[in-house]
Amino acid sequence: MQRRFNPLEADARWQAIWDDKQSFRADDASEKPRSYVLEMFPYPSGRIHIGHVRNYSMGDVLARFRRMTGHEVLHPMGWDAFGMPAENAAMEKKVHPGNWTRDNIANMRAQLKKLGFAIDWSRELATCEPDYYGHEQALFLDMLEAGLVYRKESAVNWDPVDMTVLANEQVIDGKGWRSGAPVEKRKLSQWFLKITQFGDDLLDGLKSLDQWPDKVRTMQENWIGRSKGLQFHFKPVAPFDTQIEVYSTRPDTIFGASFVAIAADHPVAQAVAAGNGEAADFIALCKAGGTTAAELETAEKLGFDTGLTVTHPFDPEWQLPVFIANFVLMDYGTGAVMGVPAHDQRDLDFARKYMLPVERVVAAEGDESAPIHNEAYSAPGRLVNSRFLDGMTVEEAKAEVIARAEAEGWGTGTTVFRLRDWGVSRQRYWGTPIPVIHCADCGPVPVPKAQLPVVLPEDVTFDIPGNPLDRHPTWKHVDCPSCGKAAVRETDTLDTFADSSWYFIRFASQPKDKPFDRETVEKWLPVGQYIGGVEHAILHLLYARFWTRALQHMGQLGFAEPFTGLFTQGMVTHETYTVRRPPTEQEREHFGWYPPGDDGIIEWRSPDQVVRTDGGLFDRETGLKVKVGRVEKMSKSKKNVVDPDDIIAQYGADAVRWFMLSDSPPERDLPWTESGIEGSWRFVNRLWRLFGQIEAGAEGQDKPLDRKLHQTIDGIAKDIEALSFNKAVAKIYELANAVEKAAPSASRNAAIRALALLVAPMTPHLAEEAWADMGETGLIADAAWPVVDPALLVDDEVTIACQVMGKLRDTITVAKGTAKDELERLALAAPNVVRILDGAAPKKIIVVPDRLVNIVI
């Protein structure tokens, strides 16, 4: 056996063998217990990064382990292939989004295969291909027929120069990210999915997900946001004659109200603006702002006093001013809110700006008279300054106000959700075409299923702003399926979150004539273990849970929750490096602010641009001193990324996989270090040398080693099931140490063989190579996990400390549970104890069974 493991030769050979034998192809007809292990599929950006390697290494260990423990394992891979980056590349690089995406998929597939993942590549899919999105269109039509899809006008970010809708992340400081033009709010007819129909079920279903992280369940619970409140109206004060309907989750604070705020699109605001130029200007200003609740929360609170007033429901003499405010959205609730500054930070900011009253109505004991300064009070307490509510708890006061409002006929207790219906229209080319045709006579008409898929046209250009589908000369012009008259296709495409909301179902079953076969899907799903980043804790997971419920609602599936187990792994981080270089003459002339002797321009450096010496770190090319910055998430902008290909070429796939699993608990961030990968490489070779130490003819039992081996087998199995990979790795280190120290024996040979099986899920190429070298037949990938002898899990011997006057003098090994008299006898006979006593008679002997004997002289 060679002294050093040769991964370059071994990796490719075993990957080819696995591929040739289709080792990891899942059998739908198998009678074995099933296990569906899935990592969130990647966006084909062009290169996998080290974070992908960590994510997929974790799933791969579990998938391989489950195969070894007798499961039929489904472990597929695909590509979340629609999205904006492809269109951006098309504009910047003058390439077709499809070509850019498919080239990237080919690159990333090749990279993943170099890592030897046990993936069923026969089920690979890409969401940008018609054989995937055509079925998605069919499901959309099913939802449309079931009443789960509707169309309405909704506000969007509109770039007037690029003539396109912008996603929120494309709006920077109120301007379009490409054009720099001020972004406008516009209303467009858009398609929505009725996720709110399942609001209660999505919330209640979280209780059953006991294999999900608590933080993710809490994030979803908050996002859904079910609350019981009061919907009521404020009566107008003449000459104003329109009631203003509001909804409040805190009706208990109604005596703290000091104003009413309405959205810029509210009918009352529009009526005011029709006769007031200043109001119209303010509404225009509001429309130039963001469209999301998050943006509104952070924006400066602005208002316009309409001069109108309304009366307080409990006091007709109490009048409140009505403002048009930039933080109220017409799409949320009634488009109007009751302002209670003392107990809502947003209302407090607004009240301070416009000098409105701030009255505390909830207080902790002893704080009844404490003034509100710059922070609203949102903690528990009892009602104060609230007339008949004084002294009540918040919940008691809520119930009392709702009861009086309903009795007096001016309000109704109502349960509402923060969750809004899912707007899925995107005014973009690179997405799933929405299968609807608009007819002047018939209105929106579904595309007949026989005409699916509606395929994206290939002959598009991006040299003109806007959606290429809108200006395509032929694609959108069709006959109405209902009346046969000229009509046009819907040119919006679906939000890419729709593509990732059911891909895990398509992985399990891929018939050509329908999205999936229910019987086959229900053999595999729900997904037993789903692994991915916590950044997907809300939207992706919520939409996938909705989509599954929609399929259940339509009778296409028999379960509601798609993922039984969820694990969110930490990120891979790395040091950052910067240098200060002198500005060039051109830069001095251009910028003009670099005086002589200035420290220069700060630039990021990548790890391969840095040389380490005894004198510090230096730029490889210029020799400039390198400053080591914080350890941060790897990012291209800070150049602290590590290319997996370079690492695999130097150390092989197994060393990379081992490092990804070994150094940190998987839920925490993993700092990438050169010393870490080098340590992994050394251990791979240490194992390789150990695998070559089976001695033919070695005999005899080494009971402590047998016990260590079986305890390790048992412990690693439990660690892998718990996804505690770093703990499993630690146990392998301990076992390797024990085997190295053990004398040749039959037990040692058995331990070495078992060690190859134990590392097979983590370092599969090394394990296969060793397995073959040991003369074993078949692949270790197909081998069974070592059987644990339960008798060897129990320690039946203990080591007893023998002390004289409290000092350790010797040890003895005895059977567990040895009687006190026998322990005394053995301790007094221990050689070092005999020497220390030197004939002296003990005055007292203290025995702690299974632990120590202390002799007092």
Side-chain angles (χ1 to χ4, degrees):
M1 183 178 283
Q2 297 176 41
R3 190 177 65 83
R4 285 170 66 90
F5 178 60
N6 183 351
L8 298 183
E9 192 273 331
D11 288 4
R13 177 156 44 80
W14 291 111
Q15 288 161 17
I17 290 172
W18 295 329
D19 193 45
D20 183 57
K21 292 181 177 294
Q22 295 286 289
S23 295
F24 309 116
R25 189 162 186 158
D27 180 5
D28 290 339
S30 174
E31 296 297 324
K32 297 179 184 176
R34 293 167 190 276
S35 178
Y36 189 172
V37 180
L38 181 65
E39 302 92 320
M40 294 177 185
F41 68 166
Y43 179 77
S45 58
R47 304 286 295 173
I48 66 167
H49 53 70
I50 209 72
H52 288 128
V53 178
R54 191 182 193 202
N55 186 7
Y56 300 134
S57 293
M58 292 177 184
D60 198 61
V61 170
L62 183 63
R64 286 177 176 271
F65 171 74
R66 292 268 172 84
R67 291 188 82 251
M68 295 180 77
T69 52
H71 292 80
E72 188 67 35
V73 174
L74 175 56
H75 186 215
M77 178 57 68
W79 312 96
D80 191 8
F82 275 137
M84 286 190 302
E87 288 199 30
N88 294 339
M91 286 183 272
E92 293 168 8
K93 301 178 181 179
K94 310 298 181 187
V95 296
H96 191 279
N99 295 336
W100 183 85
T101 302
R102 293 178 185 107
D103 286 347
N104 287 347
I105 288 174
N107 290 336
M108 294 175 70
R109 183 192 303 117
Q111 286 186 290
L112 289 177
K113 288 195 170 185
K114 286 182 181 177
L115 285 154
F117 293 135
I119 287 170
D120 180 355
W121 286 103
S122 71
R123 299 180 188 238
E124 179 185 6
L125 58 80
T127 60
C128 67
E129 302 299 348
D131 62 0
Y132 181 84
Y133 69 69
H135 295 301
E136 187 170 303
Q137 292 169 335
L139 294 176
F140 179 88
L141 293 179
D142 290 342
M143 290 190 200
L144 183 63
E145 185 178 359
L148 296 176
V149 179
Y150 65 94
R151 195 165 182 248
K152 72 166 186 177
E153 282 199 335
S154 182
V156 296
N157 300 312
W158 179 257
D159 186 321
V161 173
D162 277 352
M163 302 289 287
T164 187
V165 171
L166 301 178
N168 290 320
E169 60 268 26
Q170 292 177 302
V171 180
I172 301 171
D173 296 332
K175 298 179 180 178
W177 70 288
R178 282 177 60 86
S179 69
V183 173
E184 302 173 359
K185 278 186 199 171
R186 280 198 180 184
K187 283 202 166 184
L188 295 179
S189 290
Q190 301 188 76
W191 293 95
F192 287 82
L193 301 187
K194 280 188 179 176
I195 189 171
T196 56
Q197 181 169 322
F198 301 90
D200 280 317
D201 195 45
L202 286 165
L203 194 62
D204 295 339
L206 293 171
K207 297 172 185 171
S208 69
L209 299 177
D210 56 0
Q211 296 178 47
W212 282 38
D214 289 342
K215 65 180 178 183
V216 175
R217 288 192 294 175
T218 300
M219 291 164 77
Q220 291 228 345
E221 186 177 319
N222 293 337
W223 188 266
I224 296 168
R226 182 170 61 192
S227 62
K228 177 80 180 287
L230 176 66
Q231 182 153 341
F232 66 102
H233 61 261
F234 285 98
K235 289 183 178 178
V237 176
F240 180 39
D241 59 0
T242 304
Q243 292 186 160
I244 295 183
E245 196 81 8
V246 302
Y247 174 81
S248 173
T249 59
R250 293 294 306 274
D252 55 299
T253 62
I254 197 165
F255 287 103
S258 63
F259 65 94
V260 170
I262 59 176
D265 291 336
H266 194 281
V268 170
Q270 294 294 312
V272 171
N276 186 321
E278 292 183 14
D281 290 344
F282 180 74
I283 288 173
L285 178 66
C286 291
K287 290 186 175 181
T291 60
T292 69
E295 287 174 309
L296 296 180
E297 285 295 325
T298 55
E300 181 185 4
K301 307 302 178 288
L302 301 174
F304 177 84
D305 189 350
T306 62
L308 306 175
T309 56
V310 292
T311 60
H312 194 282
F314 284 118
D315 186 346
E317 302 302 318
W318 184 348
Q319 297 186 4
L320 295 91
V322 178
F323 282 78
I324 304 170
N326 68 339
F327 58 84
V328 184
L329 282 176
M330 196 63 209
D331 291 343
Y332 283 68
T334 62
V337 299
M338 169 181 76
V340 184
H343 304 287
D344 183 291
Q345 191 61 46
R346 177 194 61 185
D347 294 350
L348 180 61
D349 294 343
F350 188 83
R352 296 298 188 208
K353 186 176 184 67
Y354 295 100
M355 295 185 287
L356 296 165
V358 178
E359 179 78 6
R360 174 192 284 275
V361 291
V362 178
E365 187 175 356
D367 287 344
E368 292 81 356
S369 301
I372 300 292
H373 295 293
N374 295 321
E375 186 174 348
Y377 181 80
S378 57
R382 289 186 178 272
L383 274 289
V384 297
N385 304 319
S386 297
R387 307 186 187 182
F388 57 87
L389 300 177
D390 284 353
M392 292 184 181
T393 65
V394 168
E395 292 306 316
E396 290 170 345
K398 281 183 180 179
E400 179 64 23
V401 173
I402 291 172
R404 291 196 181 213
E406 290 180 340
E408 295 169 9
W410 52 268
T412 305
T414 308
T415 298
V416 298
F417 291 84
R418 181 176 182 270
L419 181 68
R420 301 293 157 189
D421 280 338
W422 176 11
V424 292
S425 289
R426 298 293 180 270
Q427 293 71 33
R428 303 190 176 285
Y429 165 75
W430 195 234
T432 296
I434 294 176
V436 171
I437 292 169
H438 297 283
C439 172
D441 291 339
C442 305
V445 180
V447 173
K449 283 194 174 179
Q451 295 178 17
L452 298 181
V454 177
V455 179
L456 286 169
E458 289 288 319
D459 54 336
V460 293
T461 62
F462 295 87
D463 52 346
I464 302 174
N467 182 356
L469 296 178
D470 271 337
R471 59 176 181 271
H472 194 278
T474 58
W475 181 83
K476 75 174 186 178
H477 299 288
V478 292
D479 292 336
C480 171
S482 179
C483 69
K485 294 181 181 177
V488 293
R489 290 191 188 280
E490 171 65 67
T491 57
D492 286 357
T493 52
L494 286 174
D495 179 8
T496 56
F497 275 115
D499 309 329
S500 58
S501 291
W502 73 285
Y503 77 105
F504 44 90
I505 298 173
R506 182 70 181 171
F507 271 147
S509 170
Q510 302 184 356
K512 290 185 178 178
D513 60 342
K514 54 185 177 181
F516 53 84
D517 174 74
R518 175 173 178 170
E519 183 180 353
T520 306
V521 166
E522 292 180 353
K523 288 180 180 178
W524 289 109
L525 273 84
V527 176
Q529 185 61 62
Y530 198 31
I531 302 174
V534 74
E535 66 271 21
H536 301 295
I538 297 177
L539 293 185
H540 162 57
L541 292 171
L542 190 64
Y543 292 152
R545 295 180 65 220
F546 156 70
W547 199 282
T548 307
R549 278 168 168 75
L551 294 174
Q552 184 192 40
H553 176 77
M554 296 185 295
Q556 297 186 21
L557 285 179
F559 56 91
E561 292 295 347
F563 313 115
T564 303
L566 172 70
F567 184 80
T568 53
Q569 88 282 356
M571 296 182 293
V572 182
T573 58
H574 196 288
E575 288 178 336
T576 50
Y577 307 111
T578 56
V579 296
R580 281 183 181 273
R581 66 165 177 80
T584 64
E585 288 303 318
Q586 188 178 21
E587 286 168 336
R588 287 182 188 279
E589 291 177 6
H590 181 73
F591 296 110
W593 62 62
Y594 296 108
D598 187 89
D599 283 344
I601 297 173
I602 298 176
E603 289 185 341
W604 299 99
R605 287 291 182 266
S606 60
D608 61 352
Q609 290 178 300
V610 176
V611 177
R612 293 177 184 271
T613 72
D614 293 339
L617 279 65
F618 296 92
D619 182 272
R620 186 182 298 279
E621 182 178 342
T622 64
L624 290 169
K625 182 80 172 178
V626 171
K627 180 180 180 181
V628 180
R630 292 192 306 169
V631 175
E632 298 183 41
K633 175 186 176 182
M634 291 188 183
S635 75
K636 290 181 180 177
S637 63
K638 295 183 179 177
K639 292 189 173 184
N640 64 338
V641 295
V642 174
D643 191 324
D645 276 4
D646 295 340
I647 304 300
I648 294 170
Q650 186 173 356
Y651 299 104
D654 288 343
V656 181
R657 293 168 59 115
W658 186 260
F659 181 48
M660 291 292 101
L661 300 166
S662 61
D663 265 22
S664 291
E667 67 276 14
R668 294 184 190 170
D669 291 348
L670 170 68
W672 177 272
T673 62
E674 287 299 317
S675 59
I677 184 65
E678 287 170 0
S680 295
W681 168 237
R682 286 194 297 273
F683 187 68
V684 165
N685 279 285
R686 195 175 141 199
L687 285 174
W688 178 241
R689 291 190 293 273
L690 193 57
F691 291 146
Q693 294 176 16
I694 289 181
E695 295 194 15
E699 296 181 345
Q701 184 183 23
D702 183 335
K703 195 171 179 181
L705 184 60
D706 289 343
R707 188 177 297 114
K708 181 68 178 177
L709 172 62
H710 285 264
Q711 290 173 345
T712 303
I713 295 169
D714 183 62
I716 290 176
K718 292 174 179 172
D719 288 338
I720 292 177
E721 285 291 354
L723 307 184
S724 299
F725 304 111
N726 60 317
K727 293 181 180 178
V729 165
K731 289 183 174 66
I732 287 173
Y733 277 120
E734 292 175 7
L735 179 62
N737 291 339
V739 174
E740 286 173 335
K741 293 175 182 175
S745 67
S747 294
R748 188 173 188 270
N749 285 351
I752 293 173
R753 181 183 179 280
L755 188 56
L757 292 163
L758 296 179
V759 300
M762 303 162 187
T763 58
H765 310 87
L766 172 72
E768 291 284 11
E769 194 79 352
W771 196 246
D773 197 69
M774 291 173 189
E776 300 285 352
T777 57
L779 296 173
I780 202 168
D782 296 329
W785 187 253
V787 177
V788 174
D789 182 349
L792 292 172
L793 298 182
V794 179
D795 283 321
D796 56 3
E797 291 183 343
V798 291
T799 299
I800 304 294
C802 300
Q803 301 174 344
V804 177
M805 300 300 289
K807 290 187 177 180
L808 180 65
R809 297 300 183 182
D810 213 331
T811 60
I812 55 175
T813 300
V814 300
K816 197 172 184 179
T818 298
K820 286 186 175 182
D821 292 348
E822 181 64 6
L823 289 176
E824 281 188 23
R825 187 187 70 76
L826 292 170
L828 290 170
N832 287 335
V833 173
V834 171
R835 181 176 58 80
I836 295 295
L837 293 180
D838 193 23
K843 294 179 180 175
K844 186 178 179 182
I845 299 178
I846 302 168
V847 178
V848 180
D850 293 338
R851 292 187 59 190
L852 64 84
V853 177
N854 187 22
I855 300 165
V856 180
I857 55 176

